[in-house]
Amino acid sequence: MKGKSSKPHILLITRNLPPLIGGMEKLIHRIALGISQYSDLTIIGPKGCSQHLPNHIKTIEAPKNLAPFLFLSTSFAIRELRAGRYDLLIGGSGITALTLYLLNRMFGHRTIIYLHGLDLVVDSTIYQKVFIPCIRTMNSIIVNSQNTKNLALSKMVNESKITIIHPGTDLPPLPDSSTLDAFKQKFQIEFEYTMIFVGRFTRRKGLSMFIENSLPNILAALPSAGLIVIGRAPGDSLNQQGEEQRVAQLASNPLVRERIKFLGQVDDEELAHCYALADVSIFPLVHVKGDVEGFGMVAVEAAALGTPTVAFDTGGVADAISNANGMLISPGNYPEFSAAVLQILTGQKPGTASCLEHASQFAWDRVNDRFKEVVLESTT
């Protein structure tokens, strides 16, 4: 272990870190960077994560695949706790609950777990019978939305343990028109009105249902509109209910195929340009048993670039959208969803300033301050 320090010694165990890709991975990465500013932090994470973390964070890598990660991360944590002093153990998601429970029983360390929604409802009998009871034993539980809190309460988690801390966002400068023109030319984007979808191709995200039930009507009203799609199949997610083939099939329809541009996975700068270029972000979520949208990070990311969002009001997305940055639609009401998208595309929308003000409430410094309060309270 490290030498004596006035900072608390914290062990964070999480599979949700780069090089794995996704909203949870981005979230836990930023949370880890924040925690490292006021603690001596050690992370047990997926293979390759050390390349994405600063040198002052000690890293121990376990295999990326779920089962080997769970087994070896537990073994590595036991070795760490036997070798030196730690003040607190943190789990990045519900899949670490069994590990934290065992470590608490063996060494007596206090525990915090961060829950995201899916890790409460995942459709697995073993998970529900083993991991959920372990979650109940945690000393503190942080959740990403009111909906996730409600799910935790439905699993008989003690409400006094729960703190809601929403995910955060960067507040980048808005790109200028010449930058956006160069971006459009690079990717051959020629839409007069631009929609954007960002997310994995999972059933929950609802892209195929949107292409089938809303996009043709939007294009009938605004033929020069188009949809930019950013994302990929769910290779590393806990729930892999993918629909890549269904999306491809629907996108080949002559009515829509010339009006959809698939960009795949893009880097952070290109994603920011996409958000800034778009007139509206679409978030056509659908309810899927054993799956849930815990928060709605893309709506906040879009707002940070001045772009409003239209979303179905399901899962935790209501915590990410208000009248200041978009519109919430009754789940499954595709005519209303289409009308809301058209309303925003034609200029009846929250303005850039309103979206930016909304996004500022989720700035990373605010999120990390909230985490700091909970973490330091747990170490005293």
Side-chain angles (χ1 to χ4, degrees):
M1 270 302 296
K2 302 166 184 173
K4 292 183 179 180
S5 170
S6 60
K7 295 180 178 181
H9 290 72
I10 294 175
L11 177 62
L12 170 62
I13 305 170
T14 181
R15 180 173 171 263
N16 299 109
L17 278 176
L20 302 186
I21 297 172
M24 284 176 59
E25 285 70 26
K26 291 168 64 176
L27 167 61
I28 299 300
H29 182 255
R30 294 301 295 264
I31 294 299
L33 295 179
I35 293 173
S36 73
Q37 298 305 305
Y38 52 86
S39 74
D40 284 330
L41 179 63
T42 297
I43 295 178
I44 300 177
K47 184 176 177 61
C49 68
S50 59
Q51 300 175 28
H52 301 269
L53 295 165
N55 291 332
H56 69 271
I57 298 177
K58 178 181 177 180
T59 56
I60 302 168
E61 296 184 352
K64 295 179 185 178
N65 292 339
L66 182 57
F69 178 85
L70 291 177
F71 176 76
L72 287 175
S73 64
T74 303
S75 299
F76 295 156
I78 292 171
R79 183 183 65 189
E80 272 298 298
L81 296 181
R82 283 176 174 164
R85 178 179 69 84
Y86 280 90
D87 301 294
L88 181 66
L89 310 179
I90 301 176
S93 71
I95 66 168
T96 64
L98 177 58
T99 297
L100 294 185
Y101 171 79
L102 294 173
L103 297 175
N104 173 265
R105 293 298 298 268
M106 293 175 67
F107 300 98
H109 291 80
R110 292 183 62 80
T111 55
I112 295 177
I113 198 164
Y114 192 18
L115 301 179
H116 308 269
L118 172 58
D119 44 10
L120 285 163
V121 303
V122 63
D123 192 12
S124 163
T125 301
I126 293 176
Y127 185 90
Q128 293 295 325
K129 290 189 174 183
V130 176
F131 287 77
I132 296 299
C134 292
I135 288 173
R136 298 190 192 111
T137 71
M138 300 295 106
N139 296 112
S140 297
I141 296 169
I142 299 173
V143 298
N144 62 352
S145 68
Q146 181 63 50
N147 187 72
T148 301
K149 177 179 179 178
N150 293 340
L151 291 173
L153 294 175
S154 74
K155 302 294 182 179
M156 307 304 293
V157 173
N158 189 328
E159 185 172 10
S160 66
K161 296 182 177 184
I162 302 174
T163 301
I164 299 175
I165 302 181
H166 297 128
T169 186
D170 292 312
L171 302 174
L174 298 180
D176 57 31
S177 58
S178 61
T179 299
L180 293 182
D181 286 342
F183 177 81
K184 290 168 66 176
Q185 183 174 3
K186 175 181 177 180
F187 288 98
Q188 298 180 326
I189 298 170
E190 300 176 351
F191 308 140
E192 182 178 358
Y193 304 94
T194 304
M195 298 166 278
I196 183 173
F197 169 91
V198 178
R200 288 186 170 116
F201 293 175
T202 64
R203 288 177 57 203
R204 179 183 86 234
K205 300 293 186 180
L207 177 59
S208 67
M209 296 289 286
F210 172 80
I211 294 174
E212 183 175 19
N213 296 301
S214 278
L215 187 56
N217 295 329
I218 293 169
L219 294 177
L222 282 179
S224 58
L227 172 65
I228 297 173
V229 176
I230 296 174
R232 60 181 181 83
D236 300 311
S237 63
L238 185 59
N239 192 328
Q240 298 190 18
Q241 299 189 51
E243 58 167 11
E244 190 172 21
Q245 292 183 346
R246 178 66 173 159
V247 168
Q249 177 186 15
L250 291 167
S252 66
N253 184 328
L255 294 176
V256 301
R257 66 186 177 196
E258 299 300 323
R259 313 310 298 173
I260 304 178
K261 178 72 70 171
F262 291 93
L263 300 190
Q265 202 69 42
V266 298
D267 61 33
D268 289 344
E269 183 179 52
E270 291 170 335
L271 178 58
H273 292 164
C274 284
Y275 279 133
L277 174 65
D279 298 293
V280 62
S281 168
I282 62 153
F283 209 17
L285 299 166
V286 298
H287 175 74
V288 175
K289 181 183 177 182
D291 204 355
V292 68
E293 188 70 31
F295 174 61
M297 192 180 299
V298 296
V300 177
E301 291 178 345
L305 274 302
T307 300
T309 296
V310 175
F312 283 129
D313 188 3
T314 186
V317 72
D319 284 27
I321 297 177
S322 71
N323 292 335
N325 75 313
M327 302 173 69
L328 288 169
I329 308 301
S330 300
N333 191 333
Y334 289 96
E336 185 180 352
F337 195 97
S338 303
V341 172
L342 285 168
Q343 182 178 329
I344 291 179
L345 287 175
T346 54
Q348 305 172 57
K349 61 181 181 179
T352 298
S354 178
C355 288
L356 295 177
E357 174 61 27
H358 178 85
S360 70
Q361 302 172 46
F362 301 88
W364 276 116
D365 57 351
R366 295 191 180 189
V367 175
N368 285 323
D369 284 346
R370 293 289 315 285
F371 255 88
K372 185 177 181 180
E373 292 175 11
V374 177
V375 168
L376 294 184
E377 182 179 345
S378 297
T379 60
T380 57

